Amino acid sequence: MKKIQFADQKQEFNKRPSKIGRRSLSRSISQSSTDSYSSAASYTDSSDDETSPRDKQQKNSKGNGDFCIKNIKQADFGRREIEIAEQEMPALMALRKRAQGEKPLAGAKIVGCTHITAQTAVLMETLSALGAQCRWAACNIYSTQNERSRVGESEDDFWWCIDRCVNVEGWQPNMILDDGGDLTHWIYKKYPSMFKKIKGIVEESVTGVHRLYQLSKAGKLCVPAMNVNDSVTKQKFDNLYCCRESILDGLKRTTDVMFGGKQVVVCGYGEVGKGCCAALKAMGSIVYVTEIDPICALQACMDGFRLVKLTEVIRQVDIVITCTGNKNVVVRENLDRMKNGCIVCNMGHSNTEIDVSSLRTPELTWERVRSQVDHVIWPDGKRIVLLAEGRLLNLSCSTVPTFVLSITATTQALALIELYNAPEGRYKQDVYLLPKKMDEYVASLHLPTFDAHLTELSDEQAKYLGLNKNGPFKPNYYR
């Protein structure tokens, strides 16, 4: 099957009309269809037909039909979305310029499963500029959104599209970029022999990393894996600063809620929880925190939040937010005790934090208020407001700051380059953290945006600290 390179695709984008549909992007994309894929986070009109992309036979202008999207004719707006994103993704653009004379990913065949946004398109085009071929699916059925119609595909579509990315005649991946571990799980389950040619896995979420460590502990991880979720640049920027902005955006767009004076409980005080708590506190909310880790719990207390058990405040809070990456954090018993009108949402990766399945019982009534907003009504008339059916709030109901995604995407790109080019024996069948030198390199690529100027150590200072004056400046265990 012939692969079309990104270099051939830019003019393909610019030939297309400007209207774009929310459901223009399904989850399975080959490198030959990224011209259409760019339509993430776009606007739609009410005439957008509801035919499943799986039932459509479409081809791009080069005659290639190896993709699954809503409407290939609606891509011009998507290209403009990508061009906007490129302005806030300086590090990826810098990588492209620096790779003009070299292709560190030449021969790489990357299969990705991440959130589908215009920012992801910038990453994909960067990987292509570095020499890779890509096939992509989304890691969340509500991965993309627009202002008027936030509708994802079904669970069946979810797995179908992942399979279409992997099970391709004449094309086999040799690198995996995953967000949540579903792609890795699918290959282990359906195509385990593929791991004979796969050089490594790059994983960026708490949930996916947890799965990898479980595989490693059980002796079932058969390729090296890079845990970029716990890299400093991912933890401190994507998880903290991103969520500090997007939690407010997601809640405002879906519920129009006033934050001042509201009582909010945030479950989990990791980096995501810290960002959410800081934003809500700044808006005048009364914020409670639940936590299992005494270190994070102490941090919450020192930051001025009251540490509680969920059961202690569940009857009085106006908003419940989960940020743990765990399962069954909010269960039916908690949901039964919530006050009328309580807003319930999830900022962790997985949809398992809120026990939504326990709400699908005959005695409860579900009422769709607007896209991604449901009232769940009890027999006595009490109702809670459930957002995105318990899935990730910010990427289901709002947007994520592009600059933060630039940091994360650059970290992913460098991790792919490192694993792909590593000499045999450097990495064993285990889970590794991104080397600190690369973490610092990601940060340094973003500093020019702020006209920031780093101070340089003198030789004497570097010797005194026992450091190379060019870094790394932190030990590998630093987070």
Side-chain angles (χ1 to χ4, degrees):
M1 184 175 297
K2 185 178 179 182
K3 293 289 156 191
I4 310 298
Q5 299 300 314
F6 276 88
D8 302 328
Q9 294 166 354
K10 185 163 185 175
Q11 69 179 49
E12 179 80 13
F13 271 106
N14 297 325
K15 292 178 182 177
R16 298 197 166 83
S18 60
K19 284 186 179 179
I20 204 84
R22 159 62 184 85
R23 297 190 66 186
S24 59
L25 180 68
S26 187
R27 303 171 54 92
S28 177
I29 322 166
S30 70
Q31 192 171 15
S32 62
S33 68
T34 50
D35 45 358
S36 313
Y37 146 75
S38 62
S39 56
S42 54
Y43 294 85
T44 186
D45 60 28
S46 58
S47 63
D48 193 29
D49 78 82
E50 293 300 314
T51 305
S52 170
R54 291 169 59 175
D55 298 330
K56 290 185 176 183
Q57 296 295 320
Q58 302 182 84
K59 293 184 182 296
N60 62 18
S61 62
K62 298 185 181 297
N64 193 300
D66 183 24
F67 54 84
C68 180
I69 61 168
K70 184 68 175 178
N71 190 343
I72 194 173
K73 295 179 180 179
Q74 300 179 335
D76 188 56
F77 185 93
R79 170 49 61 184
R80 295 200 299 272
E81 288 274 290
I82 290 176
E83 289 171 350
I84 291 172
E86 287 175 345
Q87 301 305 309
E88 278 280 285
M89 304 187 83
L92 288 182
M93 305 310 290
L95 285 182
R96 292 187 198 181
K97 290 180 181 179
R98 297 183 184 191
Q100 288 178 351
E102 57 183 90
K103 302 291 182 183
L105 290 175
K109 296 181 178 180
I110 301 170
V111 60
C113 184
T114 67
H115 293 285
I116 297 293
T117 63
Q119 294 83 1
T120 312
V122 179
L123 170 61
M124 290 177 68
E125 292 188 342
T126 300
L127 296 177
S128 177
L130 298 174
Q133 295 180 25
C134 302
R135 294 179 68 85
W136 225 266
C139 66
N140 185 305
I141 67 172
Y142 299 131
S143 240
T144 56
Q145 64 285 313
N146 72 25
E147 197 63 27
R148 296 176 61 184
S149 177
R150 300 183 180 102
V151 184
E153 58 271 347
S154 68
E155 289 286 344
D156 183 58
D157 290 335
F158 173 86
W159 295 112
W160 180 87
C161 290
I162 287 178
D163 191 72
R164 281 288 302 272
C165 280
V166 175
N167 185 19
V168 188
E169 184 179 353
W171 194 91
Q172 181 173 321
N174 54 25
M175 294 295 297
I176 295 173
L177 175 57
D178 211 353
D179 183 347
D182 288 324
L183 172 60
T184 303
H185 167 77
W186 188 256
I187 296 176
Y188 264 104
K189 180 180 177 182
K190 295 289 185 178
Y191 310 104
S193 62
M194 283 190 176
F195 281 102
K196 294 177 181 178
K197 293 188 177 181
I198 291 175
K199 291 190 172 185
I201 302 167
V202 174
E203 172 59 55
E204 72 149 329
S205 77
V206 173
T207 306
V209 165
H210 179 66
R211 288 177 168 183
L212 288 175
Y213 280 121
Q214 285 181 321
L215 286 172
S216 178
K217 186 176 180 180
K220 296 181 179 179
L221 185 62
C222 48
V223 295
M226 193 75 77
N227 166 11
V228 297
N229 179 73
D230 291 316
S231 63
V232 177
T233 43
K234 173 69 164 58
Q235 285 280 324
K236 292 192 180 296
F237 297 94
D238 191 332
N239 292 8
L240 194 157
Y241 296 113
C242 168
C243 294
R244 191 174 68 181
E245 297 193 18
S246 61
I247 180 63
L248 302 180
D249 186 18
L251 286 169
K252 279 287 188 186
R253 291 196 195 202
T254 50
T255 66
D256 304 310
V257 66
M258 177 84 174
F259 295 110
K262 289 293 190 299
Q263 296 191 59
V264 184
V265 60
V266 175
C267 301
Y269 202 68
E271 300 301 328
V272 173
K274 288 181 176 68
C276 292
C277 288
L280 292 161
K281 181 180 181 180
M283 295 300 291
S285 297
I286 301 163
V287 183
Y288 304 96
V289 172
T290 73
E291 182 55 70
I292 63 167
D293 181 342
I295 295 175
C296 292
L298 184 57
Q299 286 181 299
C301 294
M302 295 292 286
D303 288 337
F305 301 108
R306 184 181 167 199
L307 189 76
V308 298
K309 292 183 177 180
L310 184 60
T311 53
E312 296 171 6
V313 295
I314 196 65
R315 291 186 184 275
Q316 68 195 59
V317 293
D318 302 290
I319 304 173
V320 178
I321 303 169
T322 57
C323 309
T324 69
N326 202 350
K327 64 180 295 186
N328 295 336
V329 178
V330 176
V331 295
R332 178 61 186 269
E333 179 184 357
N334 306 134
L335 296 158
D336 285 338
R337 297 176 64 195
M338 289 177 183
K339 66 192 289 187
N340 183 54
C342 183
I343 298 168
V344 186
C345 64
N346 171 39
M347 283 290 286
H349 173 82
S350 177
N351 65 333
T352 60
E353 300 204 30
I354 302 166
D355 187 11
V356 175
S357 61
S358 71
L359 297 175
R360 301 190 186 279
T361 55
E363 75 273 13
L364 300 183
T365 302
W366 284 62
E367 180 181 83
R368 175 53 56 96
V369 180
R370 59 176 74 160
S371 180
Q372 306 289 20
V373 182
D374 290 292
H375 279 162
V376 183
I377 307 170
W378 270 250
D380 63 358
K382 184 198 88 169
R383 63 184 62 200
I384 64 169
V385 182
L386 179 64
L387 304 183
E389 298 182 29
R391 294 181 182 275
L392 185 58
L393 175 72
N394 55 3
L395 276 160
S396 299
C397 304
S398 62
T399 59
V400 174
T402 300
F403 190 80
V404 164
L405 291 179
S406 174
I407 296 171
T408 299
T410 307
T411 303
Q412 294 168 342
L414 291 179
L416 287 166
I417 292 170
E418 171 65 16
L419 282 180
Y420 183 69
N421 291 283
E424 187 174 351
R426 175 181 293 178
Y427 296 107
K428 300 179 181 179
Q429 297 170 354
D430 205 348
V431 185
Y432 295 85
L433 291 173
L434 189 74
K436 281 296 174 292
K437 184 69 174 176
M438 292 187 185
D439 245 338
E440 293 173 1
Y441 180 57
V442 172
S444 68
L445 288 174
H446 289 86
L447 289 175
T449 301
F450 304 99
D451 193 26
H453 305 278
L454 281 172
T455 299
E456 184 176 326
L457 290 173
S458 67
D459 292 337
E460 184 181 2
Q461 289 172 321
K463 183 178 180 180
Y464 177 76
L465 293 174
L467 297 174
N468 185 311
K469 62 190 303 181
N470 297 315
F473 301 99
K474 295 288 191 293
N476 281 333
Y477 57 79
Y478 172 78
R479 288 179 58 194

